[in-house]
Amino acid sequence: MTRLTLAAVSALALAAAVGGCTTAGSDMPPLPASATAPVSYVRDVHSYARPEIARVHHVDLDLAADFAARTLSGQAHLDISGEPGATEIVLDVRDLDIRDVRDAAGAPLQYVVGDAREFLGRPLTIRFPAFAPGERRRISIAYSTRPEAAALQWLTPQQTAGGQQPYLFSQGQAILTRTWVPTQDSPGIRQTYSARITAPETVKAVMSAEMLTPEGEPAGPGMKAWRFRLTNPVPPYLIALGIGDVAFAPLGRRTGVYTEPSRLQAAAAEFTEVEAMVEKAEGLYGPYRWGRYDLLVLPPSFPFGGMENPRLTFATPTIIAGDRSLVSLVAHELAHSWSGNLVTNATWADFWLNEGFTVYFENRIMEAVYGPERAMQEQVLGWQSLQDTLASLPAADTRLKLELEGRDPDEGLTDVAYEKGAFFLRTIEREVGREAFDSWLRGYFDRNAFRPMTTELFLADIRQHLTGNDPTLEAALQMDAWIYQPGLPSNAQAPVSSAFEPVDAAARAFYVARGPASAIPWSGWNTQQRQRFLTWRPESRGGADWLTTAQLAELERTLGLADEGNSELTFAWLEVAVAHRYQPAVPTLERFLLTQGRRKFVLPLFTALWAEGDWGRPIATRLYAQARSGYHPITTGSVDAIVGVPRG
Ligand code: BES
Ligand code: ZN
C-alpha cells in the first residue's frame, strides 16, 4: 500500500486552530487534539485527487437552484493548501459544466478537464503560480450541475406529499458529491464547508450544517437565500442539501424533525425517543460533537433508508410505521455521528469501519433505550440476513477489507460490511468483556476523532490499546481471519432470542406441518417477530415453492397482508409472494413499487420478478415503465441493470 505523508503540517494545524475558534459561542464542544495532528493519505482508487501535493480544506458554495432547468449554478470557492512549489490541484468532477476558474483577485486560472472514466467522472486540474511554504489560497470555480447529476433528485410538485411545490435533495455517498460540488471527493480529505443557497421563496433549504438564516433572506424578486456553515471538517460525501416545502417540529432540547407539513405530526410522533437515543449514545461512547441532531424525512423516492448527513439525518418516509417499530434506523444514523462522521473510512475499501461499527453501536443504543430483548431480536434478524448475503455473494466479496479497484463502490458495498462487521466487534466484546471493550471503543473515537481510519490503523489501535501482545487472546480473536478471509471464522457465534422461539414454532406449524393460519398468534407479536415469521424458510425447501396457493391466500387474508402498513413487513410478504408467482399479490406489489423508491425494497423485488421468467418479467417490465421516472438515479442505476431501460 502506498502511504503518502502530508508535509504541510503547519498549514493544517493553522486551519484546525481557526476551525476551533469559529465554534466558540456555538453549541459544539471544541475539536479534540487529534483533529489538528497531521494526516497521512492512503491511495483512494475512487478519486483523482493528489492531496499530498495540494488539498482542499474548506468549500464555500454560492448556488442558485433552478427547478425549471433542474440545475444548481453559481460558484464554489475552495480554500486550498499546497506543498511548497506545488503548481496545480486536482479535483473530482462528474457531469459538471465549468464556466471558469479564478484566483482570489478574480484573475482567471488555467484549468484542464480530463477524460471521463466510468462512474469516477473526470479530473479537474487547476494550474497556478507555485505555493510558498505554509501558504493558503482561495480559488473560485463558476459552474452548473446537469439535470442528470446522479447525486441530485429533482421532484415535481406531484411527486411530493403536498403536491404544490417542487423538491430537491442530494445524496453524496459514496462518490456522488462530485456531480454537484467540484472538490476532492475522497473520504480521507476532510473539509469544512459553508453555503448560500438561493431558491424560490415558497420553499426552504436545509443542509447538513448549522442553519444561519432560519427564515431565509431576501434574494431578488420571489427568491430567498439560506446560509449554512459546518465548522467540523467532514468527508465530502457528507455535504448534503434538501430544498422543498418543509416544516420543523422540535423533539427535544437539541433534536427535531423537518418534513413536509402534512407529514410533520406523524413524523414527530414516530421519533419521540430520539433525544433519549442521543443521551444514551453519549453515555456509551462520549460527547455528541455536532451540536444539533435533526432528521429530514424525505419524499418516498429517497433511495436509502437513511443517510447520516451531519446534524441532519436524511430518512425515508417508509420508516414511519405509526408504532415506532422501525426506529432502529434512527439509532443507526445517529451512531454514524461517531462511527463514520467522526472516525471515517479512509477509502471505500474500509467501508466496514463505517458500517460495521455503526451496526454494533446502533444495537447498543437500542439495548439502552428499549432493553436487551429487543436488541437481541434485531441481532438475530441481522444474523439471518448475513447468512443470506454470504450465500449469495462470491467469496472474495465476503471479506471485511474490500478490493474495489476498477469497481463502482456503489456495487461493491454490501451487507457484509454491516453485519459481518458488527458480529466481528461482538466477538471481540465477548472475548475481552463488555467493560474493557467499551472503554477501548470510547478511546478509539476520541483518539481518532475527525480523522480517516484504515483497517490496518484499526488493527494497530486495538492491539495497542485493548488486546496487547497476549498471544492466547490473539488466537481466540482471529482478527486477521475476520478481516482478510471470506465467510465467518470459527469463533463467530449466532445470537439467540427467546422471543423468536414461539415464532419459529408457529412458522414450522404453518409452513412445514401445514397447519391453519388462524393458529399464528400474529396480533400478539411485535414487528421484529412478524419479520422473523415472514422471512422464515424451511430447511430443505426443495425448489422455490414451499407454500401452496391456498396457503398463500390464507396467510394473506388472515394476517391482512394486502393492507399491511409496515414497509418492512410488506416487503417481506412480497418476497414470498413473488417467489411463488402468487398473482393476487400483484396489486399490492404494484402499489408498493409505485409509491416508494427505496433501493433496498425496489431492487430485490425487481430482481425476484426477473427470476420468475415468463410470469415475472412482463410484470417487471410493465411496472418499471410506470415507476422509473419517480425513482432516484441511484435506484434506477441498479434496476436498469436488471430490467433494462424502458422504451418510449
Ligand atoms: N451510510 C449508509 C447509506 C449508504 C451506504 C449510502 C453506502 C451510500 C453508500 C446508511 O447509514 C445506511 O446504512 N442506511 C441503511 C439503513 C441502516 C439502518 C442499515 C439503508 O439505507 O438501508
Ligand atoms: Zn450506515
Side-chain angles (χ1 to χ4, degrees):
M1 181 189 310
T2 0
R3 183 158 299 159
L4 307 144
T5 307
L6 179 77
V9 176
S10 54
L12 193 69
L14 176 71
V18 171
C21 287
T22 56
T23 60
S26 89
D27 43 5
M28 284 191 274
L31 298 184
S34 58
T36 64
V39 170
S40 53
Y41 302 99
V42 176
R43 196 172 89 91
D44 178 1
V45 298
H46 296 113
S47 170
Y48 294 102
R50 286 179 292 150
E52 70 283 6
I53 296 171
R55 61 158 286 176
V56 175
H57 295 272
H58 179 79
V59 178
D60 181 27
L61 299 172
D62 188 356
L63 295 173
D66 182 337
F67 282 94
R70 303 194 152 192
T71 59
L72 291 171
S73 62
Q75 295 195 299
H77 309 284
L78 306 181
D79 293 340
I80 64 174
S81 67
E83 282 293 279
T87 56
E88 61 179 45
I89 186 165
V90 186
L91 311 178
D92 297 293
V93 295
R94 185 181 149 196
D95 293 336
L96 293 184
D97 292 318
I98 309 291
R99 265 196 309 285
D100 62 39
V101 183
R102 293 176 187 270
D103 68 13
L109 292 174
Q110 265 188 16
Y111 67 91
V112 189
V113 183
D115 292 337
R117 278 165 55 197
E118 214 192 347
F119 56 78
L120 294 182
R122 303 168 187 268
L124 167 60
T125 305
I126 297 165
R127 309 236 151 87
F128 35 62
F131 259 90
E135 191 189 344
R136 280 297 187 110
R137 284 186 194 162
R138 172 163 276 218
I139 57 172
S140 298
I141 302 162
Y143 73 103
S144 300
T145 64
R146 301 241 181 100
E148 68 271 20
L152 303 179
Q153 191 180 15
W154 299 86
L155 299 177
T156 62
Q158 295 73 41
Q159 289 174 285
T160 67
Q164 301 300 312
Q165 300 299 334
Y167 205 105
L168 166 70
F169 64 88
S170 72
Q171 165 58 42
Q173 199 180 12
I175 55 169
L176 301 180
T177 294
R178 64 193 67 178
T179 71
W180 74 286
V181 181
T183 189
Q184 292 179 316
D185 190 12
S186 171
I189 309 176
R190 307 184 78 89
Q191 299 152 40
T192 53
Y193 87 88
S194 48
R196 180 175 177 273
I197 304 292
T198 309
E201 63 187 0
T202 49
V203 289
K204 181 184 178 78
V206 292
M207 292 191 88
S208 54
E210 189 184 345
M211 166 79 95
L212 300 176
T213 53
E215 302 309 321
E217 303 170 331
M223 305 294 280
K224 268 189 178 178
W226 288 264
R227 288 185 291 107
F228 305 89
R229 74 164 175 215
L230 186 66
T231 52
N232 284 344
V234 293
Y237 72 83
L238 293 176
I239 302 174
L241 169 67
I243 307 179
D245 179 16
V246 293
F248 176 78
L251 297 168
R253 177 172 72 80
R254 55 178 156 174
T255 51
V257 58
Y258 292 90
T259 196
E260 286 191 69
S262 67
R263 296 169 163 268
L264 190 59
Q265 229 187 344
E270 200 80 11
F271 298 137
T272 47
E273 264 123 339
V274 169
E275 185 76 34
M277 285 184 176
V278 181
E279 271 157 32
K280 293 296 186 186
E282 288 191 305
L284 283 164
Y285 299 124
Y288 177 75
R289 295 191 179 272
W290 306 89
R292 293 196 56 85
Y293 180 77
D294 294 323
L295 290 140
L296 173 66
V297 179
L298 288 135
S301 65
F302 186 62
F304 294 111
M307 178 64 214
E308 65 269 26
N309 296 315
R311 295 177 64 99
L312 185 64
T313 282
F314 283 24
T316 170
T318 64
I319 58 166
I320 305 207
D323 59 3
R324 305 176 190 166
S325 56
L326 303 179
V327 292
S328 63
L329 187 139
V330 177
H332 179 95
E333 305 311 336
L334 170 65
H336 273 305
S337 306
W338 289 258
S339 42
N341 298 2
L342 203 55
V343 183
T344 309
N345 53 206
T347 72
W348 300 112
D350 300 305
F351 184 59
W352 80 274
L353 295 173
N354 276 20
E355 298 300 344
F357 275 67
T358 295
V359 171
Y360 175 84
F361 191 170
E362 163 199 341
N363 200 253
R364 294 294 304 276
I365 296 172
M366 291 303 287
E367 180 186 317
V369 178
Y370 298 94
E373 188 44 60
R374 168 70 175 274
M376 279 314 283
Q377 293 173 23
E378 310 238 14
Q379 280 192 36
V380 176
L381 293 175
W383 177 264
Q384 191 186 327
S385 107
L386 176 60
Q387 300 305 317
D388 297 345
T389 307
L390 292 177
S392 71
L393 286 176
D397 290 345
T398 68
R399 303 184 167 114
L400 286 178
K401 175 87 181 189
L402 299 169
E403 176 50 75
L404 295 173
E405 175 103 55
R407 296 174 73 180
D408 185 347
D410 202 47
E411 303 300 320
L413 306 181
T414 72
D415 213 29
V416 170
Y418 289 77
E419 293 298 339
K420 182 178 172 183
F423 281 108
F424 174 34
L425 297 181
R426 289 180 193 128
T427 305
I428 302 173
E429 182 202 324
R430 201 179 64 228
E431 291 292 339
V432 303
R434 177 169 275 196
E435 205 182 321
F437 182 79
D438 279 355
S439 103
W440 166 76
L441 186 48
R442 190 180 176 130
Y444 167 87
F445 289 134
D446 285 342
R447 281 186 294 280
N448 301 295
F450 299 106
R451 297 174 66 78
M453 178 60 55
T454 62
T455 297
E456 292 65 35
L457 284 169
F458 153 79
L459 279 172
D461 188 283
I462 200 166
R463 287 185 172 130
Q464 183 183 344
H465 296 283
L466 180 62
T467 62
N469 290 320
D470 177 350
T472 321
L473 184 56
E474 266 294 330
L477 291 174
Q478 304 187 50
M479 293 201 287
D480 290 301
W482 275 95
I483 289 169
Y484 298 110
Q485 299 299 319
L488 289 177
S490 56
N491 61 357
Q493 218 173 75
V496 178
S497 165
S498 57
F500 284 171
E501 283 165 19
V503 179
D504 293 354
R508 271 189 299 274
F510 180 77
Y511 293 122
V512 182
R514 308 204 170 232
S518 57
I520 303 164
W522 189 253
S523 63
W525 286 344
N526 72 6
T527 295
Q528 286 64 39
Q529 290 172 305
R530 293 174 180 186
Q531 262 180 290
R532 170 77 174 188
F533 182 85
L534 290 176
T535 55
W536 198 93
R537 301 288 183 266
E539 290 280 321
S540 58
R541 58 178 125 146
D545 295 353
W546 66 97
L547 294 172
T548 64
T549 306
Q551 276 182 299
L552 287 160
E554 196 196 343
L555 198 65
E556 185 182 36
R557 183 168 23 85
T558 312
L559 307 185
L561 295 171
D563 308 307
E564 176 57 58
N566 185 298
S567 58
E568 293 284 353
L569 298 179
T570 302
F571 171 68
W573 158 241
L574 289 172
E575 285 209 298
V576 175
V578 170
H580 286 87
R581 303 188 175 198
Y582 179 63
Q583 190 70 32
V586 172
T588 310
L589 178 68
E590 183 162 345
R591 215 177 322 120
F592 193 61
L593 290 175
L594 288 172
T595 53
Q596 55 79 38
R598 186 172 170 188
R599 186 173 65 175
K600 176 188 143 180
F601 294 150
V602 166
L603 179 61
L605 289 172
F606 276 111
T607 306
L609 280 170
W610 209 249
E612 296 303 326
D614 56 345
W615 180 80
R617 291 188 187 196
I619 299 174
T621 305
R622 176 173 66 81
L623 295 184
Y624 196 42
Q626 287 174 261
R628 188 177 185 276
S629 67
Y631 290 161
H632 188 281
I634 288 172
T635 300
T636 59
S638 298
V639 181
D640 283 354
I642 306 290
V643 181
V645 182
R647 270 173 291 143

